[in-house]
Amino acid sequence: MNQGLKIAIKYSIVPCQLGYCGPTDEPEKKILLEFLRGEKIDEQKIRQILQQFAGTNLYYNFIARSNGITDPFDKKVVEAYWTGNELLDKLNGAGHHSFHVYKIGSITGRIQFTDNLRDLCRIGWGCVKKIKAEKIIIEHQPIIRNKNNKLELGEETGKIVGWDKIILPRLEIGNIVSIHWDKAIEVLEEQQMANLKKFTLMNIK
Amino acid sequence: MCLSLPVQIVKINKKMAVVKKSNRNKTIDISLINKLKIKDWVLCANNFAIRKIRPKEAKEILRLLKGGKRHESRT
């Protein structure tokens, strides 16, 4: 299975299921989930469906072109967008998902987003403390406003998020997971967590 | 992308609509989407309806926005 396509689906499927982006056609959403489950589906079909995520595709193409990579769904490109990696170093974090959430929305100054909406939309992270069927409890730092009205990572607090085993088949207590719209997405290795934190902090300034 | 809020249409006047948002009404531009009707839910950004969504999707987004479920950590 093409890992870049898999990561792209894992992060995009939750806002897609909320109606925000990507295909509105239920059979096409089902195809994406079937691909995650490991069912044999033509990758070209998956690429065609993923191209309906107009916003993310702009970023994938931007990151790929900036790094001389031909395939916008290359694993490193997709990872750069969602959790961050060295491909963003020359872009000063501009291609990261948090850039879109915290910088682009604010550019005109006309769009007022609540901090809560942006905290849900960004890729957060947390340590798994308890697992209970389709919910998990994580220790998580929300992004809050400090007394100088600046955004920063708040104190660690417990948070309940959803666990969809199609998106994330296996999980253990002590794992660090990424979260998107209050759903656990993938288990992060130490470097991945460090990258996600680094680029998030860069873009909330 | 995700940076928009669900609102419900209560009145339509040509290319504009009155929508309900947080118990208040406001007027938005619906010219980007065809065939909208009263009671439809749309995602609204910068006072434009940018996408029609299902009631179930709207309600789930609003539920998530009302506040993430906090858990008192014992650690």
Side-chain angles (χ1 to χ4, degrees), chain B residues 23-75:
Chain B
N23 295 323
R24 286 180 299 168
N25 287 350
K26 66 183 270 182
T27 302
I28 67 170
D29 189 316
I30 57 169
S31 59
L32 297 175
I33 308 178
N34 292 327
K35 297 180 189 168
L36 287 174
K37 31 188 212 311
I38 289 170
K39 291 194 180 175
D40 278 348
W41 283 91
V42 292
L43 289 173
C44 176
N46 200 22
N47 293 328
F48 275 86
I50 56 170
R51 188 167 165 123
K52 184 179 167 182
I53 59 172
R54 297 184 176 95
K56 184 181 161 188
E57 290 160 346
K59 281 160 191 168
E60 179 61 10
I61 294 167
L62 291 170
R63 184 192 71 78
L64 288 167
L65 284 169
K66 264 195 180 124
K69 291 181 185 167
R70 301 285 171 207
H71 175 83
E72 288 306 315
S73 175
R74 290 193 191 109
T75 59

Side-chain angles (χ1 to χ4, degrees), chain A residues 59 96-106 113 117-119 121-123, chain B residues 3:
Chain A
Y59 283 100
H96 193 247
H97 180 70
S98 62
F99 173 80
H100 184 84
V101 175
Y102 287 101
K103 298 280 194 216
I104 292 293
S106 308
F113 298 113
L117 174 64
R118 297 199 287 192
D119 206 27
C121 184
R122 73 169 172 119
I123 307 305
Chain B
L3 299 173

